[in-house]
Amino acid sequence: MRVLVAGGAGYIGSHTVLALLARGHDVVVADDFSNARPSVMDRLAELAGRPVALEEVDLTDEARTEEVVARSEPDAVIHFAGLKAVGESVREPLAYYRTNLDATFSLLTAMRTHDVRRLVFSSSATVYGDHAPVPYPESYEPLAAASPYGRTKVMIEQVLTDVGLADPDLRIALLRYFNPVGAHASGRLGEDPQGVPNNLVPYVAQVAVGRRDRLQIYGDDYDTPDGTCLRDYIHVEDLAEGHVAALEHLEAMATPVRAFNLGSGRGTSVRELFDAFCAAVGRPLEAEVVGRRPGDLPAYWADVTRAADELGWRATRGLEEMVADVWRWQSANPDGYPRERAGQHPDVTPA
Ligand code: UDP
């Protein structure tokens, strides 16, 4: 298939691009590099053995998005594009609603114009809110997220559901991610947050390379085996393969829209994860226990039966592999991706 990957230069998008190419699909990346380095494209070319087609576009621009879809003539779209920092979404709700919804509207409009009826959407386990039974089943309703970021995911799921009801020939997979971590096994692709990382694993990785002093563990007085929160960490390469499985399953879907959890199906505590990371690094790292972070749930993980039964997919990479791959990436790229693409020399002013 020819696949337009919106947000394909980002953390999960870039790993998915490689997984698609490995399965023989054609890929066009659409990204505006608002939260990704252009040099990701060099790494993709290096790992793929050939350049990966790129459309540099702000997807909230409906006219430009239409041109991109017209030019790239995709059979399907995988939509990763959007803002994703929970805390920032509380401070800047309008930016989150506008960016995440407008990008989706542009893509859907362009898809309709050009008769593209296959879509895989990046959703999140945050749509389950704080009342769903653990492990979270896809059938749970009503969806309710606790942040503006999460509510953009709930809203987009609702938009896609309505669009699917109006056009029964559409096939849309809603992929609800749990906690993506890990990096490409080559150490050449990984997570490169701008500014102070919000998430546990990139934070620990930056402690390990000396960019941060110590991890703050947000509470060890939860009603869990070691008192710290349990989450369902999933290796980004498993997640990428989950996207390929969902894409290849769209044709066989019995209904226009279907949600799938992409998780490991297991809960891992903050302490277990931190200890595994120290073991991968080979020395103790500093951590201190501080107060709970507002809004954190004590424990949740995915019910993974639907993805296994219908997509034929399950996560295969365990905690040790996740942290070893993050460490390989972070130690080889302590400051993340290069700022400039190969062959560009920004310090040289043209005559
Ligand atoms: N966490 C922590 N210290 C940090 C960041 C996160 O103790 O600096 C904990 C957080 O309380 C949660 C888990 O690590 O229990 C995963 O948090 P993250 O922000 O990575 O993902 P979330 O579960 O919020 O989606």
Side-chain angles (χ1 to χ4, degrees), residues 1 3-6 74-81 103-109 111 116-122 156-157 159-161 163-164 169-175 243 246-251 253 255-260:
M1 260 184 271
V3 188
L4 180 65
V5 185
D75 302 302
V77 174
I78 304 186
H79 175 21
F80 293 101
T104 305
F105 296 150
S106 297
L107 279 169
L108 288 171
T109 305
M111 287 172 66
V116 183
R117 290 199 157 85
R118 304 289 176 260
L119 176 67
V120 174
F121 173 64
S122 293
I156 294 169
E157 286 207 11
V159 168
L160 295 175
T161 301
V163 167
D169 291 336
L170 281 169
R171 289 294 178 273
I172 301 174
L174 312 172
L175 303 185
H243 286 73
L247 178 81
E248 294 176 353
H249 171 72
L250 288 174
E251 221 48 56
M253 258 165 48
T255 54
V257 181
R258 189 103 171 124
F260 298 96

Side-chain angles (χ1 to χ4, degrees), residues 37-39 42 338-351:
R37 297 268 187 224
S39 59
D42 296 333
R339 284 183 177 267
E340 301 302 331
R341 292 199 66 173
Q344 293 185 340
H345 302 287
D347 298 330
V348 180
T349 315

Side-chain angles (χ1 to χ4, degrees), residues 86 178-179 181 197-204 215-219 222 228-231 233 270 290 292-293 296-298 300:
V86 175
F178 282 68
N179 289 54
V181 299
N198 300 302
N199 298 108
L200 175 64
V201 169
Y203 201 101
V204 177
L215 173 70
Q216 295 194 321
I217 295 177
Y218 297 142
Y222 287 95
T228 66
C229 295
L230 302 179
R231 291 289 180 275
Y233 297 95
V270 174
V290 298
R292 294 181 176 194
R293 182 171 66 177
D296 270 339
L297 295 175
Y300 63 83

Side-chain angles (χ1 to χ4, degrees), residues 115-348:
D115 230 5
V116 183
R117 290 199 157 85
R118 304 289 176 260
L119 176 67
V120 174
F121 173 64
S122 293
S123 190
S124 163
T126 190
V127 301
Y128 290 108
D130 47 15
H131 293 299
V134 176
Y136 290 168
E138 288 94 340
S139 56
Y140 178 79
E141 284 187 61
L143 300 181
S147 70
Y149 158 76
R151 281 190 282 275
T152 69
K153 297 296 179 188
V154 173
M155 288 177 184
I156 294 169
E157 286 207 11
Q158 285 166 343
V159 168
L160 295 175
T161 301
D162 287 339
V163 167
L165 283 172
D167 179 356
D169 291 336
L170 281 169
R171 289 294 178 273
I172 301 174
L174 312 172
L175 303 185
R176 296 176 179 163
Y177 311 154
F178 282 68
N179 289 54
V181 299
H184 193 260
S186 64
R188 300 292 283 164
L189 289 184
E191 190 170 10
D192 181 19
Q194 310 299 303
V196 181
N198 300 302
N199 298 108
L200 175 64
V201 169
Y203 201 101
V204 177
Q206 292 195 5
V207 172
V209 290
R211 283 170 69 182
R212 314 271 159 210
D213 289 342
R214 67 179 70 81
L215 173 70
Q216 295 194 321
I217 295 177
Y218 297 142
D220 67 352
D221 57 351
Y222 287 95
D223 184 16
T224 58
D226 66 19
T228 66
C229 295
L230 302 179
R231 291 289 180 275
D232 182 334
Y233 297 95
I234 173 167
H235 196 298
V236 66
E237 289 209 67
D238 279 324
L239 198 54
E241 290 166 6
H243 286 73
V244 178
L247 178 81
E248 294 176 353
H249 171 72
L250 288 174
E251 221 48 56
M253 258 165 48
T255 54
V257 181
R258 189 103 171 124
F260 298 96
N261 287 337
L262 296 185
S264 71
R266 281 190 311 273
T268 299
S269 77
V270 174
R271 271 214 191 281
E272 283 174 290
L273 193 136
F274 179 72
D275 291 346
F277 208 103
C278 294
V281 174
R283 61 189 155 82
L285 302 172
E286 269 201 62
E288 62 175 337
V289 176
V290 298
R292 294 181 176 194
R293 182 171 66 177
D296 270 339
L297 295 175
Y300 63 83
W301 54 93
D303 179 337
V304 293
T305 49
R306 184 182 288 184
D309 292 349
E310 298 179 23
L311 304 180
W313 169 91
R314 58 170 66 249
T316 59
R317 296 161 177 90
L319 183 62
E320 249 179 65
E321 193 169 349
M322 295 182 212
V323 293
D325 287 343
V326 174
W327 178 232
R328 187 177 307 110
W329 150 255
Q330 193 74 71
S331 51
N333 304 270
D335 297 315
Y337 288 108
R339 284 183 177 267
E340 301 302 331
R341 292 199 66 173
Q344 293 185 340
H345 302 287
D347 298 330
V348 180

